[in-house]
Amino acid sequence: MAGKSSVFGCYLLRPLSQQHRSRWYVGFTVNPARRLRQHNGDLKAGGAWRTKRYRPWEMTVVVYGFPTQVAALQFEWAWQNPSKSKAVRDAFAELKSKKLGVTGVTGRARVLFEMLCISPWNRLPLVVNFTSEESKKALRPKKFNVGDNYSSILPSQMKEFVRSVPEITQHFSGSGGESNDDESDGSEGDGFEDEEERGQDEELSGVKAGLSTPSQIAVTSPALPTPLKRHCSICKSFESGYFSVRPTTWASMPCCSSHFHLACLAITFTSHSGRIIPDEGDCPRCLESWTWPLLLQKSQISRCSLDAD
């Protein structure tokens, strides 16, 4: 059986019915093809009960490349609730004040592109994948990034493609073996009112923006074999440092081979930037600069029990 996916994505649905074409649904997935089948009732397992009424649905755009599952879930919640998210609400208010259109499925796509241009997501190497040329033409805003005099180009490290749902799914490694619990029951909208005015009962997908600590982000990182006992160069202890995390998660820096609790390293990065999600910072030992996604890719990540010898 295939292993769990290491690729996490968020997606935007709209009904195929012209009568309900302005409705939208935002969710999280580790397997886009399977998740779409769940939404359309082809697979009974996995929930997706919010989309029963307007079937069949089409998946219009998928965003993936988040460093952790928690980061993807935070993005999903902010996309669903832009007026409530600390990271997005100012940009969302500016969109509304300039009457650029924030309702309906096109409004939700505009919110997506605004989010990709603001911190912390504008520093991540994300992939934006429309599922058809028709979806791209209908939903991709011609101009966005209202906080920086508008633009039609995403941040340079991001990539944009047009690929079908099966083709996108191929990029979600090991996607055949996940459980249905990895999917979230997302948020649906009617396309005619602001989500605050509508008062819809939204599922928060287990993670509210701003409530996940760097320790929770760290724990979701991949694990390698248990290391020998070592001391964190930040907290100077073998225990879990700032957080009581079991098992303890370690990072061995690729620049100088120093060892840190991943939670200690995450809190160091966020304390410098003041952001919720670690995005970039310097190695505490050799001061080499790193982006958080690249650091997770290059570091040796491992775990061991707190009572290990």
Side-chain angles (χ1 to χ4, degrees):
M1 184 172 66
K4 290 182 77 67
S5 173
S6 58
V7 181
F8 312 106
C10 299
Y11 59 89
L12 176 64
L13 300 183
R14 67 175 175 180
L16 286 172
S17 168
Q18 292 297 324
Q19 182 180 356
H20 305 293
R21 199 66 164 164
S22 62
R23 298 194 69 91
W24 57 268
Y25 179 100
V26 166
F28 160 86
T29 187
V30 294
N31 186 322
R34 185 189 65 198
R35 190 56 175 161
L36 183 59
R37 293 182 66 195
Q38 290 173 334
H39 282 301
N40 286 329
D42 298 330
L43 296 177
K44 294 186 180 298
W49 59 271
R50 290 180 181 274
T51 52
K52 288 183 179 179
R53 183 178 178 185
Y54 298 105
R55 290 172 178 167
W57 295 78
E58 67 170 338
M59 192 171 285
T60 60
V61 61
V62 183
V63 182
Y64 60 93
F66 298 95
T68 66
Q69 180 173 336
V70 170
L73 287 169
Q74 288 178 321
F75 185 89
E76 177 205 25
W77 189 86
W79 193 3
Q80 294 167 354
N81 303 274
S83 65
K84 300 175 185 177
S85 167
K86 291 181 180 179
V88 185
R89 61 191 179 194
D90 289 343
F92 184 68
E94 191 167 0
L95 284 175
K96 292 179 66 176
S97 69
K98 294 184 177 180
K99 299 181 180 180
L100 293 175
V102 293
T103 60
V105 66
T106 55
R108 202 54 35 170
R110 180 177 292 280
V111 169
L112 166 64
F113 276 80
E114 286 300 316
M115 290 175 60
L116 295 173
C117 293
I118 61 178
S119 180
W121 303 293
N122 60 356
R123 299 173 183 267
L124 298 179
L126 299 176
V127 177
V128 181
N129 209 133
F130 286 96
T131 58
S132 68
E133 290 290 350
E134 189 274 333
S135 293
K136 181 176 181 179
K137 182 178 179 180
L139 298 179
R140 192 189 193 282
K142 292 182 172 60
K143 290 186 177 181
F144 44 90
N145 197 8
V146 294
D148 193 22
N149 298 321
Y150 296 102
S151 172
S152 60
I153 303 175
L154 290 172
S156 59
Q157 79 279 7
M158 296 185 185
K159 297 180 180 180
E160 191 172 352
F161 299 102
V162 176
R163 290 185 290 217
S164 67
V165 172
E167 290 173 327
I168 299 171
T169 305
Q170 292 178 2
H171 293 267
F172 283 63
S173 60
S175 59
E178 309 91 7
S179 69
N180 291 325
D181 293 336
D182 287 322
E183 313 288 2
S184 72
D185 201 3
S187 178
E188 173 210 348
D190 55 24
F192 296 104
E193 298 176 286
D194 185 293
E195 71 271 7
E196 289 183 328
E197 297 168 349
R198 181 169 58 246
Q200 62 187 23
D201 180 20
E202 294 180 324
E203 184 73 25
L204 300 188
S205 309
V207 179
K208 286 186 176 181
L211 297 187
S212 295
T213 66
S215 65
Q216 292 170 303
I217 296 172
V219 166
T220 61
S221 301
L224 295 178
T226 301
L228 298 174
K229 183 173 181 178
R230 60 189 67 170
H231 287 78
C232 174
S233 298
I234 297 176
C235 69
K236 310 299 182 184
S237 70
F238 175 72
E239 286 73 23
S240 58
Y242 293 107
F243 304 100
S244 296
V245 182
R246 292 179 180 269
T248 305
T249 309
W250 293 87
S252 178
M253 298 294 288
C255 46
C256 61
S257 300
S258 298
H259 302 301
F260 305 104
H261 294 114
L262 197 57
C264 294
L265 196 58
I267 200 68
T268 300
F269 274 44
T270 56
S271 65
H272 291 165
S273 66
R275 298 185 174 95
I276 296 170
I277 304 174
D279 54 0
E280 65 178 358
D282 299 333
C283 172
R285 176 62 64 83
C286 70
L287 302 181
E288 182 168 338
S289 297
W290 291 92
T291 63
W292 187 253
L294 184 61
L295 180 62
L296 293 181
Q297 291 175 12
K298 299 294 185 181
S299 297
Q300 290 291 313
I301 307 298
S302 55
R303 295 183 182 183
C304 69
S305 173
L306 294 178
D307 54 5
D309 293 327

